[in-house]
């Protein structure tokens, strides 16, 4: 730990108060300076758009190999084998990312779009028939939990394990809590299910999982590495999309004039998702770990120290965005970094964007008006921002 004079704060980014309303706390952090030492957890924080980008683009200094959360893999053993794409740096990262990027190519996305559209229309139609729904369990969750595993090639039975596993992965980003300890009692059974369904024999032909194993056949990966890459994709691809779609839907429900714009022009669906990702991202923060002592934005950061990178704050930085607290789906969102940036930016972000675009186009075609039917509730997970409940009334389009 470095001893250079530093800007400090006793802010706790994992507290219930912070997570309920992070944006006022982000403003306070930005006002303190470009780099702040968070005393409660002994970590650094960056919260301005420019410093966030600078950290994420410098993988040589700010490494992913130290782990994506509060735990420091340079100093302690992780609870599971590290991801061979999310928790490594080049050259290993380049090899595995190339394989996964090819499996998620524009050609792949074009091929699956029609199936996404059919599934989205089916789920939306069912929700509209009900009229009054809790959008998270009734609509937002079931759609990605079908289209994503279908695309990977995972059998239908037992897919609820993906949600539990995702909670374990993203829950490990924060401090150990009674909630997380209780969740981890399910780890042996859930991890066994995940590992079993990452095997070649468990995956349907033609899916993303089979494409990853084709890379093993070509000598680009070992058989074990292919299984680990499938596991990494499964752990990152469900919860994040569910939470992103849910937060977008809440933003649209809270801003009926924006919903009216989307209803009248469903081609704005992608823009609505981009703006919501800037405005209220499911991925509020990432961690990097320094590989060396570095002078950064006026602070001396020691070797193997954790740096918390606030994507959510970057999305509301008034130095980058005009009226950043205003939700406007017509905004030019070039530069929004809710999916990260640099070599470790979310490899599946175009997949998530396709899921969301198709979903909101289907909703805009079927629903005239969205009415909030009670308060929403946040999901208890320190690694992601999402909803556990979103009561709505959907008014059918004439």
């Amino acid at each position: 730990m470095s001893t250079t004079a530093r800007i400090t704060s006793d802010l706790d980014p994992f507290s219930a108060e912070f997570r309920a309303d992070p944006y006022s706390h982000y403003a306070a952090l930005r006002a303190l300076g470009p780099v702040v030492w968070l005393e409660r957890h002994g970590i650094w924080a960056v919260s301005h758009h420019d410093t966030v980008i600078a950290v994420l683009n410098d993988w040589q200094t700010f490494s992913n190999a130290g782990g994506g959360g509060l735990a420091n893999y340079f100093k302690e053993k992780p609870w599971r084998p590290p991801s061979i794409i999310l928790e490594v740096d080049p050259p290993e990262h380049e090899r595995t990312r190339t394989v996964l990027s090819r499996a998620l190519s524009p050609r792949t996305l074009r091929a699956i779009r029609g199936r996404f559209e059919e599934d989205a229309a089916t789920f939306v139609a069912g929700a509209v028939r009900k009229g009054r729904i809790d959008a998270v369990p009734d609509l937002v969750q079931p759609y990605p939990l079908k289209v994503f595993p279908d695309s990977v090639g995972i059998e239908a039975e037992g897919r609820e394990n993906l949600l539990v596993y995702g909670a374990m992965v993203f829950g490990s980003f924060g401090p150990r809590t009674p909630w997380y300890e209780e969740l981890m009692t399910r780890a042996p059974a859930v991890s066994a299910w995940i590992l079993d369904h990452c095997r070649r024999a468990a995956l349907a032909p033609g899916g993303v999982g089979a494409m990853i194993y084709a890379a093993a056949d070509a000598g680009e990966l070992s058989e074990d590495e292919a299984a680990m890459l499938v596991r990494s994709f499964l752990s990152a691809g469900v919860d994040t999309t569910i939470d992103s779609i849910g937060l977008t839907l809440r933003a649209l429900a809270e801003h009926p004039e924006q919903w009216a714009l989307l209803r009248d022009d469903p081609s704005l669906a992608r823009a609505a998702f981009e703006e919501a990702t800037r405005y209220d991202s499911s991925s509020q923060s990432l961690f990097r770990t320094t590989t060396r002592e570095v002078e950064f934005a006026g602070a001396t950061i020691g070797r193997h120290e954790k740096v918390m990178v606030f994507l959510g704050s970057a999305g509301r930085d008034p130095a980058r965005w005009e009226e950043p607290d205003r939700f406007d789906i017509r905004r030019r969102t070039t530069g929004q970094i809710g999916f990260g940036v640099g070599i470790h930016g979310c490899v599946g972000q175009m997949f998530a964007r396709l899921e969301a675009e198709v979903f909101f186009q289907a909703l805009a075609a079927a629903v005239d008006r969205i009415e909030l039917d009670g308060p929403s509730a946040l999901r208890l997970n320190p690694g992601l921002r999402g909803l556990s409940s979103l009561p709505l009334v959907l008014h059918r389009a004439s």
Side-chain angles (χ1 to χ4, degrees), residues 367-387:
V367 175
D368 179 67
R369 185 165 57 90
I370 300 174
E371 179 184 346
L372 290 167
D373 197 34
S376 59
L378 285 170
R379 197 159 62 88
L380 184 66
N381 192 318
L384 288 175
R385 178 172 170 84
L387 304 174

Side-chain angles (χ1 to χ4, degrees), residues 69-355:
L70 186 61
N72 192 332
Y73 291 177
F74 291 148
K75 298 179 179 180
E76 60 186 275
K77 184 178 180 179
W79 69 275
R80 57 165 174 75
S83 165
I84 61 173
I85 187 169
L86 301 175
E87 294 161 341
V88 293
D89 294 317
E92 283 301 295
H93 174 264
E94 294 170 343
R95 183 171 63 91
T96 54
R97 188 179 179 97
T98 296
V99 170
L100 195 49
S101 296
R102 185 170 62 238
L104 300 173
S105 68
R107 180 180 179 181
T108 300
L109 298 182
R110 287 193 298 270
I112 61 179
R113 182 181 184 111
R115 178 163 50 79
F116 280 19
E117 290 173 339
E118 292 176 6
D119 287 334
T122 298
F123 283 115
V124 166
V128 170
R129 283 194 297 271
K130 292 176 68 174
R132 178 170 273 106
I133 63 170
D134 185 336
V136 174
D138 293 343
L139 181 58
V140 171
Q141 200 174 80
Y143 166 66
L145 200 54
K146 181 176 190 304
V147 299
F148 178 81
D150 280 357
S151 300
V152 177
I154 301 291
E155 67 179 1
E157 187 176 354
R159 288 181 178 181
E160 67 279 359
N161 286 290
L162 295 171
L163 297 177
V164 182
Y165 188 67
M168 291 174 181
V169 170
F170 290 104
S172 69
F173 284 17
R176 306 289 290 199
T177 63
W179 165 80
Y180 187 68
E181 296 291 351
E182 181 179 355
L183 179 68
M184 288 302 291
T185 62
R186 304 174 64 182
V190 171
S191 296
W193 187 93
I194 293 291
L195 291 175
D196 184 61
H197 286 76
C198 291
R199 295 181 300 108
R200 183 195 294 263
L203 298 166
V208 172
M211 295 179 194
I212 292 172
Y213 274 98
D217 294 336
E220 298 174 80
L221 301 169
S222 70
E223 191 82 3
D224 288 343
E225 286 176 328
M228 291 183 70
L229 197 55
V230 174
R231 186 204 73 181
S232 294
F233 189 48
L234 288 177
S235 67
V238 178
D239 298 63
T240 51
T241 307
I242 289 171
D243 291 341
S244 296
I245 290 175
L247 291 169
T248 303
L249 183 56
R250 182 173 72 168
L252 288 165
E254 290 176 341
H255 298 84
E257 79 288 354
Q258 298 298 311
W259 171 254
L261 290 172
L262 177 59
R263 178 201 62 205
D264 294 343
D265 183 5
S267 71
L268 289 171
R270 177 70 69 91
F273 185 64
E274 293 294 322
E275 170 66 350
T277 302
R278 177 204 68 81
Y279 176 78
D280 197 10
S281 175
S282 65
S283 297
Q284 288 285 308
S285 60
L286 302 170
F287 275 91
R288 296 292 186 263
T289 311
T290 52
T291 58
R292 61 181 177 88
E293 184 176 286
V294 59
E295 296 291 329
F296 181 79
T300 301
I301 305 177
R303 180 174 182 262
H304 289 176
E305 294 191 4
K306 301 294 291 195
V307 180
M308 195 170 190
V309 182
F310 285 111
L311 302 178
S313 178
R316 298 283 190 105
D317 186 352
R320 173 61 181 82
W321 307 102
E322 183 178 351
E323 296 184 76
D325 296 328
R326 178 170 56 87
F327 177 67
D328 182 0
I329 68 173
R330 294 167 299 185
R331 184 193 300 270
R332 286 180 57 85
T333 54
T334 303
Q336 78 85 4
I337 54 174
F339 290 102
V341 70
I343 67 166
H344 289 291
C346 176
V347 68
Q349 59 185 277
M350 299 311 296
F351 194 100
R353 285 181 166 108
L354 177 61
E355 288 183 72

